[in-house]
Structures are given as structure tokens and as C-alpha cells.
Amino acid sequence: MTAPPEVTGSAADADPEAALQGMPKKAIQGRSLGQIAWLRLKRDKVAIAGAIVIALLILVAIAALLLDRVFDVVHPNEFHQDLIDTQNGTLAPLGTFGGMSGAHPLGIEPVNGRDILARIFAGSWISLLIATLATVLSVIIGTTMGIIAGFFGGWVDTLISRLMDVFLAFPLLVFAMALVGVLPDTAFGLSPEMVRIGLLIFIIGFFNWPYIGRIVRGQTLSLREREFVDAARSLGARGPYILFRELLPNLVAPILVYATLLIPTNILFESALSFLGVGINAPTATWGGMLSDASRFYTMPHFMLWPGLAIFVTVLAFNLFGDGLRDALDPRAR
């Protein structure tokens, strides 16, 4: 056997950095939890498609509100009696497919001839406004009650948990119908439409907070036993600091996901109230109100198709985006 050759001369004195000369230097950057969630969400094509539809719906709702209430360009309540068959007494739209034409792409309503497309656009901002503000109200109340119940425990947790059970057992639909029928249409100098919108936001938001309250309570019960909470206590942190600086930031992900999934539920609930005649007063256009009017003309399916399709697409888009957002924010997801 021969001994390995010894490294001598210039090879022994070589600078290790010389081998790296000429190679591009690139700093290694870490990724935050937000960046990781965004990368996951971008890979979910279905969730991105839902987000695009939601963005388009929001733009349509804003445009419809401005064109109707500010610039007075679109008139969803304008009658077109000349396009209704009054001679034969059918009161059906003239022409084929419910009176579809270039001026009325989705046709017109029977009896009065109001443009269906204009009314769907006009009803979009009402549904999104009520559902979004009701969700915000539910999130604020549910997060506050849930985090207090989960952190303090004991009799506080028992009291809030029983209060949640009472709200969950409450017949919300019956109560909403009774309350809307009793309260006046005018208050605080507001128009009947704004009073009814505010009332629906309060009813839907106030009585739906236990759902998100239970989720926040369960997450808080798990987080309060973590090491970072014990470390904050050992450093002398008090309850409010731990609640809002340690626990609440770690609850943002589940709160955001559930809020996204709660919006379509509120849209359906508002549509159901309008369908039953206790939602927004006529002649203001709402998707549920259009379905209620269409139920009297079951022989004309186009009248019921378009508002039902608008509700379906909106709810589906929010659900798809909410599912994708949940998967992206879940640290256990691969």
C-alpha cells in the first residue's frame, strides 16, 4: 500500500474563497407565514377562481349602486308596459325567451316589464352589504365572547357557553319575521329602506355570533396552554395583554376563514327573508324578492332562473374561496 500524497506548495496555501469567485451570491431569505399561505392559495386554482368571481361581484355591486343612486343612469324600477302583452291579457313579455333583446339581455318581468338584469345588479349591493356587515358584527361579538370564555374559564366559560346554547336554540327565522313585522319602518330620521337594512344587519349578525364564538373558544382553550403564553405570564404580562397581543394574533386565521364561509350563509338568510316578504320593502330590488315575485309565474321559468342563478354563483364563489383559504392557512396542510 502506498501512503496518500501530502498536499504541499500552492495547493496547501489556496484560499477557499477563490473557488467561489465568479459565482453569483444570493441571500437566503426566509418566508413568513403569510407568504407561505399566499403560495399555497395561488396553487389552488379553484379558490383563485372563486376570488375572481367575488371581486367581479363587488365591482358590479359598487357600479350598480353608483349608477342607480348617484348618477341616476340605471333605473331598475322603470316600467316598460309597451313590451308587455296587454291585448291578449296574458301580461307576459313580448318576444321569445321572456323578452330578451339588446336593450334587455336577460328579458323583462311579467306584468310591469322591469328589466331583470338591472334589478339583479341593483340587488347585488344590498345582498353583499347586509351579508358583509352582519358577518362583521358576528365576528366582533363572537371573537370577544369566545376568547374571554376560553381564556378565563371557570364560571365565566360556563356562563358564556350556556348563553351560546340559548342563542343556538333560538328560532331565528321566526323571531326575525316577528321582529321585522313589529318594528316601524322609519326611525332616527332614516328612510324606510335604510331602517330595514340596518334591522336585517342587526338580526342576522347578532344572533349568529355563537357559531364563531364556539370556534374561537375552542382555539383559545388550546392556545392558552402553549409555551409562549406561559412565557408571557412569567414576564408579568396581565390578562388583557395576553388576550390581545398573544392570543388574538394567532386566532386571525380561523376567524378569517370562518368569516369567509359565513358571508354566503348570511346571503342565503337575507334572501330567505326577502322571499318570505319580511326583507327589504318593495320596490327595492333584492334577489330574494325577485324569487318571491317569480313564484307566482311558475310557467315562465326565465323569471326565476336569473335571480336564483345570481344567488347560486355568489354563494358558490364564497364557499370555494373559503375552502381554499382554510387549506392555505392550515399549518397542518401539506
Side-chain angles (χ1 to χ4, degrees), residues 243-276:
L243 283 175
F244 296 103
R245 298 297 298 272
E246 300 292 340
L247 295 179
L248 190 58
N250 291 279
L251 293 171
V252 170
I255 292 173
L256 183 61
V257 170
Y258 191 80
T260 307
L261 297 174
L262 188 60
I263 290 177
T265 303
N266 291 339
I267 291 177
L268 289 175
F269 192 80
E270 182 273 329
S271 300
L273 291 177
S274 297
F275 180 82
L276 296 173

Side-chain angles (χ1 to χ4, degrees), residues 76-250:
N77 297 322
E78 183 179 0
F79 288 9
H80 298 88
Q81 293 292 340
D82 56 324
L83 302 178
I84 299 297
D85 184 10
T86 57
Q87 294 181 356
N88 298 324
T90 62
L91 299 182
L94 296 174
T96 58
F97 302 106
M100 290 185 180
S101 63
H104 308 285
L106 301 184
I108 58 177
E109 294 181 349
V111 181
N112 49 46
R114 293 180 296 190
D115 185 78
I116 294 179
L117 180 61
R119 292 184 63 77
I120 288 179
F121 283 174
S124 62
W125 71 267
I126 292 181
S127 295
L128 291 178
L129 177 66
I130 293 176
T132 302
L133 294 183
T135 300
V136 171
L137 181 59
S138 297
V139 167
I140 293 175
I141 300 177
T143 301
T144 303
M145 302 296 281
I147 197 173
I148 291 176
F151 180 74
F152 291 102
W155 67 270
V156 177
D157 184 19
T158 302
L159 178 62
I160 295 179
S161 298
R162 299 294 78 78
L163 184 62
M164 292 181 186
D165 294 336
V166 171
F167 274 84
L168 291 174
F170 208 80
L172 179 56
L173 184 60
V174 177
F175 177 77
M177 294 175 61
L179 187 61
V180 170
V182 170
L183 294 179
D185 290 334
T186 57
F188 308 108
L190 300 175
S191 63
E193 181 184 62
M194 298 306 299
V195 171
R196 187 60 62 91
I197 290 177
L199 182 60
L200 291 177
I201 291 173
F202 172 77
I203 293 175
I204 298 174
F206 182 75
F207 288 94
N208 278 334
W209 69 265
Y211 296 100
I212 193 169
R214 282 191 165 185
I215 294 176
V216 173
R217 173 184 173 273
Q219 294 289 332
T220 305
L221 288 174
S222 175
L223 289 174
R224 73 176 186 179
E225 306 298 334
R226 301 288 292 273
E227 292 81 1
F228 64 88
V229 176
D230 294 335
R233 286 197 185 100
S234 65
L235 293 175
R238 297 182 179 273
Y241 178 88
I242 297 176
L243 283 175
F244 296 103
R245 298 297 298 272
E246 300 292 340
L247 295 179
L248 190 58
N250 291 279

